[in-house]
Amino acid sequence: MSAPRTTVTTQVGIVGGGPAGLMLSHLLAKAGIDNIVVEKRDHETIRTTHRAGILEHGSVKLLNDSGVNGRVLSEGHRHDGIDLRFGGRSHRIDFQDLVGESVWLYPQNEVFVDLAAARERDSGDVRYSVRDTEVLDVTTATPKIRFTEADGTEVEIRCRILVGADGSQSICRRAIPADVRSDHFIEYPFAWFGILTEAPPSAPELIYARSEHGFALISQRSETVQRMYFQCDPAEDASAWTEERIWDELQRRVEGPDGLELKRGRIFEQMVLPFRSYVCEPLRHGNLFLAGDAGHTVPPTGAKGLNLALADVGLLFHALDSFFSAGSSTLLDAYSETALRRVWKAQNFSYWMTSMLHTRSDATPFERKRSLGELAAVTGSRYGQQYLAEGYTGWPDN
Ligand code: PHB
């Protein structure tokens, strides 16, 4: 006989306690909608997982207006533009002038820390370190999540709506049968080599550089810690690189007549980041809804991943609120189609930024020159700059 299973009932069961799952849980709780979050990782693992660091103004507004806490504004850094660098020269894209918006440099792990603290402060039910999670009966009026708690207790959550916010390896996505699900997927012939370094900033704003040696991104974390990336082979062994070799590689990708010199420091983290584009259609099956990376993945160029996840969550929250408070299914029925409009715009933006700024090792001289022509067209015209600025800071609607 199997061990007795504890059964709990809630309105919304959320699989995944990263920023998307926690944000949704926070918004629902504030609206009086009961929910439980289950997460397979422990708090510390999520806190120390480094992801991108740029928040669109809409993401900042969501965090701030929902009363998570004010850290994104007090600790984050507002950026009013970026530099696109090619041919060794920088071309500033002035977001404020072009579209009247900004982005905030505020790392994803800080967003997680803030949301986790807000759920704890408000006595939210978030269960970390669970294992053997399964989702069942998603097309019925009582979908279920089964899992084993860290202490071995077997639990079944019975809910009205189930949300899969469980990342790119989503188990919830697999509950959508293959014959109703389309998986749109592309791989790229490169990855990013990412570092964290103890050094002062090398430039006031982010630099996205295309060079004949490949792409580099000079980003930041604080006055004393910087984040940088360069395009590499997906099979690259990060640990095989010495600090000097990394710095030399980054430097040669930003080299130019203006003498831009990266400020070097001790590198305390170096890793190769995967790179792919993926969309699952639809984002709903019965009473199961997917949000964030569970439904779509973008390459990191343009930093759209977390922003898209938060946009999904904002939409899903309004749909759930209307369902539970007013008994209306209209917004829930529209969720997948509405969310996917923004997802595909962001897919296009990330793909476009990636292809414009990276160099394929097999690129012909024609391709290389064509990309430079594209960059010149974008940076040389206010219309081109505006197109980029609007996508980067975040479209006002889906
Ligand atoms: C980062 O700071 O980690 C970052 C910034 C911009 C990107 C990607 C990553 O496009």
Side-chain angles (χ1 to χ4, degrees):
M1 215 178 73
S2 57
R5 197 176 271 282
T6 309
T7 306
V8 278
T9 303
T10 190
Q11 288 171 291
V12 183
I14 302 173
V15 183
L22 292 183
M23 185 77 225
L24 182 64
S25 170
H26 172 74
L27 292 168
L28 291 170
K30 287 195 78 82
I33 301 166
D34 218 33
N35 67 85
I36 303 175
V37 180
V38 299
E39 165 60 52
K40 68 175 181 196
R41 295 166 293 175
D42 60 65
H43 185 288
E44 190 57 14
T45 302
I46 313 177
R47 191 187 67 78
T48 52
T49 303
H50 296 290
R51 306 287 291 268
I54 291 288
L55 293 179
E56 296 172 1
H57 54 95
S59 302
V60 172
K61 188 166 157 50
L62 185 67
L63 283 167
N64 210 50
D65 292 357
S66 65
V68 174
N69 63 23
R71 277 183 78 234
V72 60
L73 292 181
S74 63
E75 309 294 312
H77 296 271
R78 201 184 87 195
H79 282 233
D80 294 340
I82 54 167
D83 252 338
L84 286 191
R85 197 170 163 86
F86 57 98
R89 287 173 211 279
S90 278
H91 304 259
R92 182 161 192 258
I93 307 293
D94 185 334
F95 300 149
Q96 271 299 328
D97 173 48
L98 293 159
V99 292
E101 296 292 357
S102 300
V103 294
W104 271 257
L105 184 90
Y106 192 65
Q108 178 161 334
N109 24 350
E110 298 299 328
V111 175
F112 166 74
V113 166
D114 293 352
L115 285 164
R119 290 317 291 125
E120 207 171 315
R121 174 194 72 200
D122 301 340
S123 310
D125 191 345
V126 182
R127 305 181 188 198
Y128 297 99
S129 307
V130 309
R131 53 180 201 272
D132 305 329
T133 307
E134 296 178 87
V135 294
L136 296 89
D137 302 337
V138 300
T139 54
T140 72
T142 320
K144 298 168 191 76
I145 309 172
R146 284 191 184 158
F147 59 95
T148 307
E149 297 261 24
D151 68 2
T153 313
E154 300 203 343
V155 183
E156 177 172 292
I157 298 176
R158 297 183 180 170
C159 47
R160 180 70 186 84
I161 300 286
L162 208 158
V163 175
D166 51 340
S168 55
Q169 303 298 319
S170 175
I171 58 141
C172 293
R173 188 171 66 227
R174 278 179 247 145
I176 306 181
D179 58 342
V180 295
R181 190 178 92 203
S182 300
D183 293 300
H184 304 286
F185 186 83
I186 55 163
E187 274 187 272
Y188 298 83
F190 38 75
W192 275 9
F193 195 117
I195 63 156
L196 280 165
T197 176
E198 266 169 21
S202 288
E205 291 177 342
L206 270 60
I207 302 173
Y208 288 82
R210 183 191 168 104
S211 80
E212 58 188 279
H213 308 291
F215 171 77
L217 170 59
I218 310 305
S219 184
Q220 311 164 354
R221 284 293 175 267
S222 67
E223 283 308 307
T224 51
V225 174
Q226 312 308 319
R227 182 84 163 130
M228 301 181 192
Y229 305 90
F230 61 90
Q231 170 190 346
C232 69
D233 190 287
E236 195 63 69
D237 173 11
S239 60
W241 285 62
T242 62
E243 288 202 4
E244 195 186 1
R245 186 171 163 220
I246 293 170
W247 282 118
D248 290 348
E249 191 58 46
L250 281 162
Q251 180 61 41
R252 73 181 184 138
R253 296 183 188 207
V254 300
E255 209 94 285
D258 60 1
L260 173 64
E261 183 107 19
L262 296 176
K263 300 209 169 83
R264 301 185 178 203
R266 186 178 74 87
I267 294 172
F268 61 93
E269 201 157 317
Q270 56 197 72
M271 76 281 276
V272 172
L273 292 104
F275 219 91
R276 59 188 206 134
S277 299
Y278 168 74
V279 181
C280 167
E281 284 189 326
L283 294 173
R284 172 197 193 165
H285 184 59
N287 284 314
L288 166 68
F289 293 80
L290 301 181
D293 281 3
H296 40 78
T297 313
V298 286
T301 329
K304 284 278 164 269
L306 174 58
N307 292 297
L308 262 191
L310 293 177
D312 283 354
V313 163
L315 208 59
L316 192 51
F317 162 65
H318 286 296
L320 290 170
D321 192 26
S322 155
F323 179 70
F324 286 109
S325 316
S328 167
S329 300
T330 311
L331 293 179
L332 273 183
D333 291 343
Y335 169 74
S336 178
E337 204 185 317
T338 315
L340 283 168
R341 274 204 296 274
R342 190 178 193 87
V343 167
W344 279 114
K345 285 199 278 191
Q347 286 291 354
N348 176 58
F349 183 77
S350 310
Y351 178 93
W352 173 62
M353 287 278 280
T354 300
S355 60
M356 184 166 67
L357 289 162
H358 291 65
T359 313
R360 289 177 179 254
S361 54
D362 60 356
T364 59
F366 177 88
E367 256 310 308
R368 290 166 195 256
K369 293 254 173 184
R370 190 201 62 77
S371 292
L372 292 173
E374 187 174 17
L375 278 160
V378 170
T379 55
S381 124
R382 187 166 175 89
Y383 299 114
Q385 291 182 22
Q386 263 170 335
Y387 176 76
L388 194 152
E390 187 183 40
Y392 197 94
T393 58
W395 304 279
D397 49 42
N398 285 21

